[in-house]
Amino acid sequence: MLQEVNIRVPATTANMGAGFDTFGMAFAMYNTVALKRITGNAIRLENLGAHTKTMEQVKDNLTVRSARKVFDAVGEPFAGLEFKMYNVIPVSRGLGSSSAAIIGGLMAANRLLGDPLDKAQLLELAVELEGHSDNVAPALYGGFVSSCQRGGKTVALKLTPPANLAAVVAIPDFYLSTSKARKILAPEVKRADAVHNIQCAALMVGAMATGDLQLFAAAFDDRLHQEQRYRLIKGAKRVLRAARSAGAIAAGLSGAGPTMIAFINTEDNRAEQIKKAMQRAWEFAGVSAKTMLLEQDNQGAQDC
């Protein structure tokens, strides 16, 4: 029986292009979870690294709640455990911080118990906690994942993105909750907009399957959520235009925002100019932000 495990979970972007609540992709920025058996029945929690002030205490902590899901599922007592979390992924910025917390708790608990659940079962537990699969699926599997719910089950397809596809993210210094970003969306959409997104989504899967970045650029267009959400994010459209003008092959919101993401072809060597252009655009809008280059992650949550 294992006494301690260490799991790392990648950041993710969701709602990619036309894939609202459907597409997600994992990137090489990680939160880590260390889970250890301790003497007694207490549950201990320690948060380390950045973004710890917003984290909950034990009874409300999402990683702890997720780990409990696994213990309950296999009928093991949830007691005598110590959680240590090192948090790097920004909270409430559209880079999958809650999904990383969920997958980290599920994977760590499952590993500590000897892996009684497979990844498909862990994904179902994750969806129960998160409410949708577009972030938790790539956090678990890595790569690009298209997922949906059918008959109460989650169906997920993982594809490995083109090797030269990476992203520049521009992360502003303010939060935007997913619930607030969802409330602004119109309850109904026009048929033409729905058809447009279906067409682009089909092309996106084809682009990922074939490694065609020109097809990826053509497919990266949305009419269901991004325009409405830009109204919540000061300077968003300016940052978007700056990224495209500087050479990004596609750009838009990361998840529900407020982070803006620009996809790049690493062979073009334009990452630095895209970072600088997005930074200047935020500054012009009076917003403090940081930019960074993220390489893709194709492993998903794993031991570290």
Side-chain angles (χ1 to χ4, degrees), residues 174 176 180-187 223-237 253 256 258 260:
F174 59 85
L176 178 60
K180 183 177 180 180
R182 192 168 288 272
K183 285 178 182 178
I184 200 173
L185 300 182
R223 292 185 184 176
L224 298 187
H225 77 107
Q226 295 209 32
E227 282 294 330
Q228 297 169 71
R229 286 171 166 172
Y230 288 147
R231 300 199 298 268
L232 299 174
I233 305 169
K234 182 181 179 182
K237 285 193 172 183
L253 289 177
M260 302 296 291

Side-chain angles (χ1 to χ4, degrees), residues 32 38 40 42 44 69 93 122-123 127 218 246 275 299 303:
T32 59
I38 58 175
R44 297 177 184 168
K69 274 270 192 182
R93 299 297 211 288
L122 293 178
L123 180 59
V127 173
K275 285 170 61 177
Q299 303 301 315
D303 294 324

Side-chain angles (χ1 to χ4, degrees), residues 1-246:
M1 179 182 293
L2 293 176
Q3 296 299 308
E4 182 174 3
V5 296
N6 293 272
I7 302 294
R8 76 175 193 182
V9 189
T12 53
T13 189
N15 300 329
M16 290 175 59
F20 180 60
D21 279 357
T22 304
F23 296 158
M25 183 173 168
F27 290 100
M29 176 167 61
Y30 304 97
N31 282 0
T32 59
V33 178
L35 179 57
K36 180 171 69 173
R37 299 181 188 274
I38 58 175
T39 303
N41 294 318
I43 302 294
R44 297 177 184 168
L45 170 64
E46 183 177 2
N47 284 304
L48 304 169
H51 317 294
T52 58
K53 292 182 179 179
T54 59
M55 304 299 284
E56 308 92 337
Q57 297 304 307
V58 170
K59 66 183 182 70
D60 298 317
N61 183 270
L62 192 51
T63 300
V64 175
R65 286 166 48 206
S66 301
R68 182 187 289 272
K69 274 270 192 182
V70 175
F71 276 78
D72 290 347
V74 300
E76 289 287 337
F78 189 68
L81 299 168
E82 179 184 77
F83 292 80
K84 286 187 178 181
M85 287 167 282
Y86 190 87
N87 305 298
V88 174
I89 302 169
V91 174
S92 296
R93 299 297 211 288
L95 288 169
S97 61
S98 64
S99 293
I102 289 169
I103 295 299
L106 294 174
M107 281 284 291
N110 196 52
R111 184 75 84 240
L112 196 72
L113 293 172
D115 293 319
L117 305 180
D118 61 25
K119 283 195 173 182
Q121 292 171 305
L122 293 178
L123 180 59
E124 294 299 344
L125 294 179
V127 173
E128 288 179 21
L129 288 157
E130 180 78 338
H132 43 85
S133 58
D134 53 348
N135 273 120
V136 291
L140 180 62
Y141 292 117
F144 169 86
V145 183
S146 176
S147 58
C148 67
Q149 276 64 52
R150 286 293 180 270
K153 297 291 184 179
T154 302
V155 180
L157 168 68
K158 175 188 174 180
L159 295 172
T160 300
N164 53 333
L165 183 66
V168 170
V169 289
I171 309 168
D173 66 349
F174 59 85
Y175 303 110
L176 178 60
S177 70
T178 301
S179 59
K180 183 177 180 180
R182 192 168 288 272
K183 285 178 182 178
I184 200 173
L185 300 182
E188 297 179 353
V189 299
K190 295 178 181 179
R191 180 185 299 176
D193 291 340
V195 170
H196 172 86
N197 269 50
I198 292 169
Q199 293 170 335
C200 289
L203 286 178
M204 176 69 80
V205 174
M208 287 295 185
T210 62
D212 189 333
L213 289 187
Q214 287 187 327
L215 191 60
F216 177 92
F220 201 92
D221 192 37
D222 166 78
R223 292 185 184 176
L224 298 187
H225 77 107
Q226 295 209 32
E227 282 294 330
Q228 297 169 71
R229 286 171 166 172
Y230 288 147
R231 300 199 298 268
L232 299 174
I233 305 169
K234 182 181 179 182
K237 285 193 172 183
R238 180 178 294 276
V239 177
L240 180 67
R241 290 192 298 269
R244 290 172 174 166
S245 296

Side-chain angles (χ1 to χ4, degrees), residues 245-272:
S245 296
I249 59 176
L253 289 177
S254 181
T259 292
M260 302 296 291
I261 187 166
F263 287 90
I264 67 168
N265 181 345
T266 56
E267 295 175 355
D268 291 342
N269 296 315
R270 295 178 177 173
E272 285 304 315

